[in-house]
Amino acid sequence: MRPAAFALSFAVVLLGLGACQTTDLQEVTGALGGNAEKSRPATSDPRAELAELRERFRATPNDPEIALRYGSALRATGQRSQAVAVLEQATIASPGNKVLLAGYGRALADNGNFQQAFDVLSRAHSPEDPDWRILSAQGATLDQLGRNEEARQYYATALKIAPDDPSVLSNLGLSYALSSELPKAEEQLRKAAAQPDASPRVRTNLAVIVGLQGRASEAESIARTGLPPEQASANVAYVKRILERRKIAQRELSPRRDRPVAGEPDKALARALSRTDD
């Protein structure tokens, strides 16, 4: 049972926590793969599909749908660098395919290539026809690059198109957390968690932020909300690991244990959230 790593790897650093999800940025870029990814049944095992998709991709490497499905399966099985290579090849063959570009950008972000991901995602839509999901994903990559204020401009634009979308609000909240503004982070994450279509990962992000403010019992209660017992226990354990990792990183980065000042980067939190070995 593996709660997702943050959806900034804070979605994708904190941006991604939730029951049984493992891919960074999945929350904000989950709809970017187009029909090829949506068509796979939710219960299907990507490992079982991998061999078949590999052969189909080798037979028809320029088929965008097969490339997207193969890239998605590779990412889902942890083969992130190979997913980048597959989708890069596909975008070279179909340079104007915006769905492919979105999938390629998502794979780059998953692989930690944040500046390149931002650049590719910029080509996946246009100012004349913006996609709020891509705007949110671009914000997540900017947060990973430490450009928090700029990231929030992308979230604000996304929210104009999709008001109160929980994934965008969650990204915004986590952005505030990365700049040590925990009350603002909690405000946005509570708003996100209150939305009827909020995913479990949004509540887990909220639990982490509450825990960072020293309210351990409340954080545990939030982490358990809406989950069956086994998943709830896994989620609570994950939140505790993140909080412990931040303490360790804080001691490593600042032996005097200075607390981060609001508005300044919380490097310890960023380090804790960027771990993907859960």
Side-chain angles (χ1 to χ4, degrees):
M1 195 64 59
R2 298 175 59 190
F6 269 25
L8 211 170
S9 276
F10 150 62
V12 205
V13 179
L14 243 170
L15 292 182
L17 300 168
C20 303
Q21 300 287 340
T22 59
T23 304
D24 292 347
L25 270 181
Q26 186 162 337
E27 174 90 355
V28 292
T29 61
L32 296 183
N35 293 332
E37 291 195 19
K38 293 178 183 178
S39 63
R40 188 174 67 241
T43 57
S44 67
D45 181 356
R47 290 174 178 80
E49 291 185 304
L50 197 56
E52 176 190 353
L53 288 170
R54 182 184 297 114
E55 293 305 315
R56 294 181 66 182
F57 177 73
R58 288 173 177 172
T60 57
N62 294 334
D63 185 320
E65 180 178 350
I66 296 302
L68 278 168
R69 290 181 59 192
Y70 184 36
S72 179
L74 287 167
R75 286 177 37 255
T77 54
Q79 300 177 66
R80 297 181 177 185
S81 295
Q82 190 170 350
V84 167
V86 164
L87 290 166
E88 180 179 29
Q89 179 180 340
T91 57
I92 291 172
S94 304
N97 189 314
K98 293 191 182 324
V99 174
L100 266 180
L101 286 168
Y104 179 36
R106 174 182 175 181
L108 285 164
D110 284 350
N111 200 45
N113 306 101
F114 298 113
Q115 182 60 60
Q116 190 178 359
F118 177 83
D119 296 339
V120 170
L121 289 168
S122 297
R123 292 158 45 205
H125 64 157
S126 66
E128 297 76 24
D129 186 23
D131 186 319
W132 64 269
R133 298 163 299 181
I134 298 178
L135 288 166
S136 187
Q138 287 179 279
T141 60
L142 289 170
D143 269 321
Q144 282 288 61
L145 293 166
R147 294 155 61 181
N148 307 117
E149 290 295 335
E150 190 176 350
R152 290 165 203 165
Q153 295 175 22
Y154 280 80
Y155 300 141
T157 303
L159 287 169
K160 289 179 181 178
I161 302 171
D164 294 334
D165 179 82
S167 66
V168 184
L169 289 170
S170 182
N171 285 1
L172 177 58
L174 296 172
S175 179
Y176 281 122
L178 286 177
S179 60
S180 308
E181 300 173 87
L182 294 179
K184 289 184 178 180
E186 182 179 348
E187 178 186 1
Q188 295 301 323
L189 281 158
R190 285 196 180 279
K191 186 176 180 180
Q195 304 306 313
D197 54 341
S199 71
R201 74 176 59 218
V202 172
R203 288 190 294 273
T204 309
N205 288 350
L206 174 60
V208 171
I209 299 306
V210 169
L212 288 172
Q213 296 176 85
R215 288 140 52 198
S217 297
E218 184 182 355
E220 181 172 338
S221 176
I222 294 170
R224 292 184 180 278
T225 301
L227 296 174
E230 186 178 359
Q231 292 183 27
S233 296
N235 226 29
V236 169
Y238 182 85
V239 171
K240 289 180 178 178
R241 285 199 299 276
I242 288 292
L243 297 177
E244 182 60 29
R245 284 176 182 174
R246 181 177 179 271
K247 289 181 181 179
I248 295 171
Q250 204 165 25
R251 288 197 294 267
E252 292 172 347
L253 293 167
S254 180
R256 295 178 300 162
R257 301 189 182 184
D258 295 334
R259 291 189 176 184
V261 177
E264 294 183 358
D266 187 338
K267 296 179 181 179
L269 178 59
R271 179 180 292 189
L273 293 176
S274 66
R275 291 277 298 277
T276 58
D277 56 346
D278 294 287

